[in-house]
Amino acid sequence: MGDAAGIGPEIIAKAWPDLIPICRPVVVGDPLWLRWAIRLVGSTAAVRVIRHPDDFEPAHDVIPCLPASAQDLSSVEPGKVSAAAGRAAYDFLSAAIDWTRAGVADGIVTAPLHKEGLRSAGLHYPGHTEILAERTGTQQFAMLLSVPGLTVAHVTLHMALRDVFAHLTTAGIIEKIRLLDDVTRRLESREHPRIGVAALNPHASDGGLFGDEEATLIRPAVEAARVEGIDATGPWPSDTLFARARKGEFDGVVAMYHDQGHIALKLMGGMRAVNISAGLPLVRTSVAHGTAYDIAGRGVADPTSLVEATRVAARLVASKTEQGGN
Amino acid sequence: MGDAAGIGPEIIAKAWPDLIPICRPVVVGDPLWLRWAIRLVGSTAAVRVIRHPDDFEPAHDVIPCLPASAQDLSSVEPGKVSAAAGRAAYDFLSAAIDWTRAGVADGIVTAPLHKEGLRSAGLHYPGHTEILAERTGTQQFAMLLSVPGLTVAHVTLHMALRDVFAHLTTAGIIEKIRLLDDVTRRLESREHPRIGVAALNPHASDGGLFGDEEATLIRPAVEAARVEGIDATGPWPSDTLFARARKGEFDGVVAMYHDQGHIALKLMGGMRAVNISAGLPLVRTSVAHGTAYDIAGRGVADPTSLVEATRVAARLVASKTEQGGN
């Protein structure tokens, strides 16, 4: 459910009818807030409180909800930072991780949480991914962003553009190529997904005229990945790379910095963008937007990303089953 | 005509029927290469050699051609660098400038030229724009890139990403805002075109968390432009800015570096992208692609950008006439 003060409860209520054909969804969250959200969006679905994910079969008009937090959320207000909501979001995720690791659930889809909410509850995590990594003992992980037909891994992300140069390494690029290869193989059901690696400089440096990172950092990473049998190519000029990816020439793109990938993803996917945690020992996807406190509680939030995140998670679970698990 | 060894002649021959409804086109170039290109693309149009742009009325099946170079181009081969073709391209442009400055022609649309061709003819210009600037005595000029509904100015362009920081200045950003405001006012027939200025850092630095150029360089430029009466806003996070621009929220975007603008333009416009010279005392647009030596002479080149460049030039000329000059 994520942070109850955000748009999580209402996008779950709105998305519900579209989730049923995709999987057997169970809400790990607060039943009272779920009921409130159902009324808010004009749904007539009932909430059935359960103690185990298999207790009740989800249906169009019945939403099974697993309460998973001791927090009292009755004083939480939509759009207001709340320590109780922050702590509860952590509890919801923890329970989902436990059920998934126990093999009862197949994967996790998360609604957004709020960093300030977590912090005011004394929990110092930048987001869901770090909690998941800590609780599964994972060192090498990454958030991938996916729109229909294209998944992007970023080598660097939330830092000043000026700081990117010090954080780009051949090892970091190889790691992202590997994670992207693994996820896109499962997402696109393609044995050798086509990974396009973006250049850092315009025109991929035009043979060294505009910078040297293509020759010194990126090309060695592409070559190392190819030695491992990965169908990685590049470095490609980033402007033509994304246009080619949209035409279907690539299954995944490795971007060197935040805006390089995000400009293309926002133009290509809009609300259909989905976050995928790569490198974890469990399947987990997430909406690609935040808690949207500014519109929370108004019933206007768009559930598209949640539906897409569920679709992607289901596909990853299916491919895992086909391949005998990882 | 640009460089005769490139795709210039054949895209002119292909585009011709689409140019007639837009304007009264005259080819400044080599009549023999034009005839060759007409046959190459399977057209039956005739070439009429003229001495003055008004000598003959262009028609669907008759292409008036003004020879404007003393070069013998009979030994030029498609796709091969040629000093004669390079020199001739310079002569074609010079003649077009002369006719336009004399008020006989209203504007110039250029097919691509080849830097190596120019250089081998002893002409050391990076491209058309610098020739135009020199011959019109212009100091402040810029190449804008336009796709239907959006025009982009780049503050920095062909340099390593690492070098961008040393080249970004508040004065440079203001200058680009002004040039973009002028061109988009004419292109979109809007008294106060909406100019969105891109941030340099992800999330527009998130309040200084990821860099400071938004506060120290970009915001002061936006504020200075607003004092001049320009409807400039920003700095906006670049990923959402282009997505908003596509929805129609902005007429022009100022990008801080090459790939920031080009990733979006290639996704939004593809072959419909057009170069516009801003700041010159005459109207001049250009195809947004190169000579494409690899496919020159095969008749497969796409004339879309030339048609769009002509359409944009005609619109700029019309707005100039309406407003009584520039």
Side-chain angles (χ1 to χ4, degrees), chain A residues 152-278:
Chain A
V152 176
H154 291 83
V155 181
T156 68
L157 211 46
H158 291 116
M159 61 180 69
L161 189 63
R162 195 188 280 275
D163 295 336
V164 163
F165 309 92
H167 287 84
L168 277 185
T169 62
T170 299
I173 298 167
I174 295 174
E175 184 205 322
K176 293 297 187 292
I177 295 174
R178 285 193 197 119
L179 290 170
L180 187 57
D181 177 64
D182 176 56
V183 165
T184 49
R185 175 178 304 110
R186 292 153 60 190
L187 258 186
E188 310 291 340
S189 305
R190 189 188 276 272
E191 198 181 346
H192 292 292
R194 300 151 305 168
I195 309 293
V197 181
L200 177 70
N201 294 298
H203 302 196
S205 89
D206 221 345
L209 213 58
F210 314 130
D212 61 5
E213 290 86 355
E214 284 69 25
T216 60
L217 295 176
I218 308 175
R219 189 174 305 284
V222 172
E223 282 165 6
R226 294 188 67 84
V227 168
E228 295 177 14
I230 297 175
D231 183 8
T233 55
W236 300 109
S238 69
D239 50 356
T240 49
L241 174 57
F242 285 106
R244 291 168 63 192
R246 189 177 52 183
K247 283 191 209 154
E249 279 190 54
F250 298 98
D251 303 300
V253 164
V254 178
M256 295 298 127
Y257 55 93
H258 181 280
D259 283 6
Q260 191 180 48
H262 281 69
I263 291 171
L265 285 162
K266 296 259 194 255
L267 282 173
M268 288 173 66
M271 280 304 293
R272 300 181 68 190
V274 170
N275 278 317
I276 304 173
S277 301

Side-chain angles (χ1 to χ4, degrees), chain A residues 270-322:
Chain A
M271 280 304 293
R272 300 181 68 190
V274 170
N275 278 317
I276 304 173
S277 301
L280 298 181
L282 47 79
V283 166
R284 183 261 174 163
T285 65
S286 172
V287 295
H289 54 72
T291 43
Y293 272 5
D294 54 325
I295 58 164
R298 289 169 41 198
V300 298
D302 184 336
T304 306
S305 184
L306 184 62
V307 176
E308 292 298 321
T310 308
R311 208 186 302 281
V312 170
R315 203 172 319 145
L316 290 172
V317 167
S319 75
K320 223 169 152 174
T321 313
E322 285 157 22

Side-chain angles (χ1 to χ4, degrees), chain B residues 170 173 177 197 204-205 207 212-226 233-236:
Chain B
T170 299
I173 298 167
I177 295 174
V197 180
S205 89
D212 60 6
E213 290 86 355
E214 283 70 23
T216 59
L217 294 177
I218 307 176
R219 190 173 304 283
V222 171
E223 282 165 6
R226 294 188 66 83
T233 55
W236 299 108

Side-chain angles (χ1 to χ4, degrees), chain A residues 60-72:
Chain A
H60 272 86
D61 54 352
V62 189
I63 309 184
C65 181
L66 252 170
S69 176
Q71 296 297 311
D72 174 7

Side-chain angles (χ1 to χ4, degrees), chain A residues 42-67:
Chain A
S43 160
T44 56
V47 171
R48 172 71 71 103
V49 177
I50 57 175
R51 297 288 150 197
H52 185 284
D54 289 338
D55 274 354
F56 193 83
E57 191 67 18
H60 272 86
D61 54 352
V62 189
I63 309 184
C65 181
L66 252 170

